[in-house]
Amino acid sequence: MAAPVMPHLKPFPPLKNDLILRAARGEKTEKVPVWVMRQAGRYLPEYKAAKGDKKFFATCRDPELVSELTIQPVNRFPIDAAIIFSDILVIPIALGMKVANDPGEGPVFAEPILKPEDVDKLNPDFDIKAELGYVYEAITLTRHKLEGRVPLFGFCGAPFTVMRFMIENVSAGPNVNRARRFLVECPQAASKLLTILKDAIVRHLVEQIVAGAQIVQVFDTYAGELGPSLFSKYELPVLRAIAFEVKEKLAERKVDPVPMVVFAKDVHFALEELSNSGYDVVGLDWCIQPLHARRLVGSRVTLQGNMDPVMMFATKDEIRRSVKEMLEKFGTQRYIANLGHGVMKDTDPDHLGEFIHAVHKYSEDMNDVL
């Protein structure tokens, strides 16, 4: 009897829409590609129907359901990428931290990191396939189910952003500045924690790419809180190391590199440094002028962003006008359209659809004029 063919051993379907990959690599595009952070989520009625009452982390560990949730926005919108449904907190869980409640329901971690000795309780040598194999299984499954319609993003949180959750238990309420205090009060323990997270993130990104992710993004939502001094001292070096080490480890495994995106919210003071940090794309929040960002980074990298998510609550006419203005300032090349942060949970899907349609329409019109 012939051995069964395992899904992860089958060749992936050929890619039909490589627009976002070309834009990330700085190649010419006929229109601006667009995707949306948190595009799979609570604002979609089909998400709520599919997830039901299942807890968040239980959902993340269900590859079939993850695949369905990941593909839902691709089915609804003419979007140019899917992003695997997961969470940045899978890393501290893999390191041994215990979850008390789901995000949004109270404390995420039963025992947050409060003192240097707590860092020593982590297990940096965790078995990545045993702890996070469900993510990689979901990526491989989703690549096949997408049938090449669009590329698939993998992602992770950046070290400081993940560290902030581990220390401040963000979902439990405001413990503002505790993570920043940890950096200055316990610099050796903080550096050790950031290195542990950096190493885990590199491993996680590599495994996602091996499993089938065609582009990856590093989310650094809280990076801007560090300010220029702490960001340059602690976070920028580990962000650079992630970009370098992912490529290095892929080469060791004879796996082709994929484009890498860094999204460091509110780090307007370090855009030039980020554009030289080894990433192909730099994501922007909505609080920076596109023309200023272009002047700072030149043609070194592709820019991504940066529509204010609250604009999805405007009228469709206002959304179209805002998209047109955004495209005129960014231009249509070396650019990926997105919101400046995740789509908000009360967003009307039809308004988000208007944003996506407008990006394609106006950028095609602009390219025709060139």
Side-chain angles (χ1 to χ4, degrees), residues 20-27 236 240 243 247 259-264 267 270-284 288 290 292-305 330-336:
I20 206 162
L21 302 183
R22 284 189 282 133
R25 294 191 295 256
E27 299 171 10
L236 185 59
R240 284 177 172 148
K247 296 180 180 73
M260 297 184 68
V261 186
V262 61
F263 173 67
V267 185
L271 275 185
E272 289 177 277
E273 289 87 347
L274 283 174
S275 70
N276 287 308
S277 61
Y279 294 85
D280 306 278
V281 182
V282 174
L284 304 172
I288 187 166
H292 180 57
R294 280 288 189 205
R295 282 195 294 269
L296 287 175
V297 308
S299 59
R300 289 189 294 272
V301 294
T302 294
L303 291 176
Q304 176 180 278
F330 277 113
T332 62
Q333 303 301 313
R334 266 206 174 276
Y335 177 52
I336 298 168

Side-chain angles (χ1 to χ4, degrees), residues 47-325:
Y47 168 87
K48 296 173 186 174
K51 181 177 178 293
D53 295 329
K54 198 162 190 174
K55 295 290 187 180
F56 180 77
F57 285 118
T59 299
C60 291
R61 293 188 181 95
D62 184 338
E64 286 284 351
L65 181 53
V66 164
S67 184
E68 179 179 355
L69 298 177
T70 300
I71 296 174
Q72 282 178 347
V74 180
N75 291 337
R76 180 182 274 264
F77 307 117
I79 211 153
D80 295 302
I83 182 165
I84 199 67
F85 184 87
S86 187
D87 195 79
I88 67 170
L89 298 185
V90 299
I91 289 288
I93 294 170
L95 287 167
M97 294 190 74
K98 304 300 182 187
V99 176
N101 292 304
D102 270 2
E105 296 183 3
V108 172
F109 297 114
E111 297 179 4
I113 289 175
L114 301 176
K115 52 189 182 300
E117 305 90 86
D118 295 334
V119 177
D120 297 327
K121 297 176 184 177
L122 299 174
N123 176 23
D125 299 318
F126 65 91
D127 184 329
I128 196 162
K129 293 289 183 66
E131 296 295 333
L132 296 173
Y134 59 88
V135 178
Y136 317 134
E137 183 180 347
I139 286 173
T140 300
L141 181 63
T142 304
R143 270 292 302 272
H144 286 290
K145 288 191 172 185
L146 278 168
E147 298 178 329
R149 293 159 65 188
V150 293
L152 178 62
F153 266 91
F155 75 92
C156 66
F160 176 72
T161 288
V162 177
M163 171 182 168
R164 189 177 184 273
F165 276 95
M166 295 166 75
I167 291 174
E168 296 186 10
N169 251 344
V170 176
S171 295
N175 292 304
V176 180
N177 299 324
R178 188 182 286 171
R180 291 168 62 234
R181 281 183 57 186
F182 197 81
L183 288 173
V184 298
E185 291 179 334
C186 313
Q188 288 184 320
S191 294
K192 181 177 179 179
L193 177 54
L194 289 170
T195 298
I196 288 171
L197 288 170
K198 182 265 295 179
D199 291 345
I201 287 162
V202 168
R203 294 169 65 200
H204 188 39
L205 287 174
V206 168
E207 293 299 337
Q208 289 183 69
I209 294 165
V210 170
Q214 294 153 289
I215 181 169
V216 293
Q217 176 159 307
V218 178
F219 285 87
D220 211 353
T221 304
Y222 295 114
E225 294 182 1
L226 291 170
S229 178
L230 291 178
F231 180 80
S232 296
K233 182 177 181 179
Y234 287 104
E235 186 72 340
L236 185 59
V238 289
L239 286 174
R240 284 177 172 148
I242 289 167
F244 174 79
E245 291 178 24
V246 165
K247 296 180 180 73
E248 183 180 53
K249 292 187 182 302
L250 288 172
E252 290 172 1
R253 294 173 67 166
K254 296 181 170 53
V255 175
D256 291 335
V258 304
M260 297 184 68
V261 186
V262 61
F263 173 67
K265 187 174 180 294
D266 297 323
V267 185
H268 312 145
F269 50 80
L271 275 185
E272 289 177 277
E273 289 87 347
L274 283 174
S275 70
N276 287 308
S277 61
Y279 294 85
D280 306 278
V281 182
V282 174
L284 304 172
D285 61 73
W286 67 94
C287 296
I288 187 166
Q289 290 283 1
L291 291 173
H292 180 57
R294 280 288 189 205
R295 282 195 294 269
L296 287 175
V297 308
S299 59
R300 289 189 294 272
V301 294
T302 294
L303 291 176
Q304 176 180 278
N306 72 333
M307 179 70 68
D308 188 340
V310 80
M311 282 305 297
M312 298 304 100
F313 296 90
T315 66
K316 290 183 178 180
D317 282 343
E318 289 171 324
I319 291 171
R320 287 191 291 269
R321 281 196 294 270
S322 295
V323 167
K324 190 170 185 290
E325 180 182 355

